[in-house]
Amino acid sequence: VTDYDIPVFTGSGTDDQITPFSMQQAFIEDACNAKATLVINTYDGANHNQGLLQSGDSAKAFARAVMAGDTVASTCPAP
């Protein structure tokens, strides 16, 4: 993981077979360890398309906040 200058939104479906949940979790762990600002969203039982659909409202709100210059709090777990 490299340095991130802006916050990153993640939306992970636990039953995603296209981008497996374990792969997404590995990225999240690496990015959090690198002190990235992540807004982490997990959708239980969602496959790839369902996770995308379920994340829509949250992703739009996140994008609006970032574009407005609002402070976005990281939801990375405490070390």
Side-chain angles (χ1 to χ4, degrees), residues 3-54:
D3 293 331
Y4 292 94
D5 294 337
I6 60 171
V8 176
F9 178 94
T10 67
S12 303
T14 59
D15 288 343
D16 191 332
Q17 300 300 309
I18 295 171
T19 310
F21 186 67
S22 60
M23 186 172 74
Q24 295 178 54
Q25 292 304 107
F27 165 77
I28 288 168
E29 183 178 339
D30 288 347
C32 287
N33 286 339
K35 307 291 189 240
T37 299
L38 260 61
V39 175
I40 303 163
N41 296 273
T42 301
Y43 305 99
D44 291 327
N47 65 26
H48 191 78
N49 291 336
Q50 292 164 334
L52 178 62
L53 291 172
Q54 290 178 33

